[in-house]
Amino acid sequence: MLVTITACAPALRPLKGAPAPSVVPRAVLPAGYHQIVFDWELQDRELVGRGEGVARIASPDSVRLDLFLRGGFGSGVAVLIDDSLQVPGGSIVRGLIPPAPLLWAALGRAAVPAFHDTTARVDGELLRVDIGVPPSWRLTFRGDSLLRLERVRGGRIIEWVERAGSVVRYRSEEARRALSLTIKRVQEVQPFEASIWDPF
C-alpha cells in the first residue's frame, strides 16, 4: 500500500536555471515576540475541519500553536522548540500538525536537517536549493524569504509547505491530507509567560 501511495506523489523535477553558490539564505524568524491569528481548514480522507488558531512565536526558535475547532467542539495545542515538537492529545490534533521542519517553513524559518551535498540554481527571481544526494529536501526562496519547502523520498515529493501572501498551505501526499492557514493579523507582543511552553 505504501508503494502505491508513494507512486501517486508528484515526481521531483530537475532544477532549472543557472548554477548558483550553494549558500542557503538564513530565512529566520523576526526578532522579538509575535502573535499570528489565523483561520485554518483541514481536508483529508476521513474528515474536513475548520476553525481559528493562534501562533505565539518567540524568536529565534520557539512557537506555540493553539487550534480551535469551529463551533467550540474541541481544541488542540502544539509546542515546537528548535526541532522538538510536542503535540499532546489525540491523533486528530497530531494530524493537523506538520513535522517540525515543515512547521518552521510555514512560519518562514528554514530549519531542515544538515546534509553535506547542496545544489542551488537561480531561475529568474527564485533560488531553488536541493539538499542531499539524491535530494531529501528542496527549498525555494525569493530573496531571503522562504516560499516553499518540499520533503522528497525516492525522487518524489511526499509532503510540502508553500507560503503565498497571507495563505500558507501544507500537503502530505502520503496521507492525502491538506491544511491551509489564512493569516488574519500579525502583531508584536510582550514576552510570553514561561508556562506557555509546557503544553501538558
Side-chain angles (χ1 to χ4, degrees):
M1 183 181 234
L2 180 60
V3 172
T4 303
I5 291 171
T6 302
C8 295
L12 185 71
R13 296 183 180 186
L15 286 174
K16 295 189 308 182
S22 54
V23 177
V24 179
R26 294 192 63 223
V28 296
L29 298 174
Y33 298 85
H34 293 85
Q35 184 167 284
I36 301 174
V37 178
F38 56 88
D39 291 329
W40 60 267
E41 181 174 344
L42 172 73
Q43 295 181 339
D44 75 8
R45 291 173 292 186
E46 298 176 4
L47 61 91
V48 173
R50 293 178 184 83
E52 296 181 326
V54 61
R56 289 178 275 182
I57 302 168
S59 183
D61 63 359
S62 302
V63 62
R64 175 182 168 131
L65 286 178
D66 289 279
L67 302 170
F68 308 98
L69 193 60
R70 185 165 290 166
F73 295 113
S75 64
V77 62
V79 172
L80 176 57
I81 300 175
D82 200 15
D83 61 355
S84 174
L85 178 60
Q86 298 180 63
V87 187
S91 61
I92 292 176
V93 177
R94 284 190 213 99
L96 284 169
I97 308 299
L102 291 149
L103 181 52
W104 279 129
L107 297 169
R109 180 180 182 227
V112 297
F115 287 88
H116 293 294
D117 299 301
T118 302
T119 303
R121 288 188 176 269
V122 175
D123 183 12
E125 61 180 8
L126 300 180
L127 171 68
R128 291 189 179 91
V129 180
D130 280 356
I131 298 180
V133 175
S136 296
W137 299 94
R138 175 170 289 172
L139 301 94
T140 301
F141 297 89
R142 181 182 292 119
D144 287 334
S145 296
L146 178 62
L147 301 182
R148 186 175 169 101
L149 175 64
E150 298 161 313
R151 188 161 75 96
V152 182
R153 186 171 59 224
R156 296 194 173 272
I157 302 165
I158 59 171
E159 58 185 339
W160 52 267
V161 162
E162 186 172 71
R163 304 171 71 239
S166 62
V167 177
V168 179
R169 296 186 306 142
Y170 163 71
R171 179 162 175 84
S172 168
E173 302 292 348
E174 290 182 316
R176 298 181 188 171
R177 178 186 303 120
L179 176 66
S180 65
L181 310 178
T182 302
I183 297 169
K184 296 194 290 188
R185 66 180 179 275
V186 180
Q187 58 193 109
E188 192 167 354
V189 295
Q190 295 298 313
F192 304 115
E193 293 183 8
S195 61
I196 76 160
W197 308 116
D198 183 1
F200 297 99

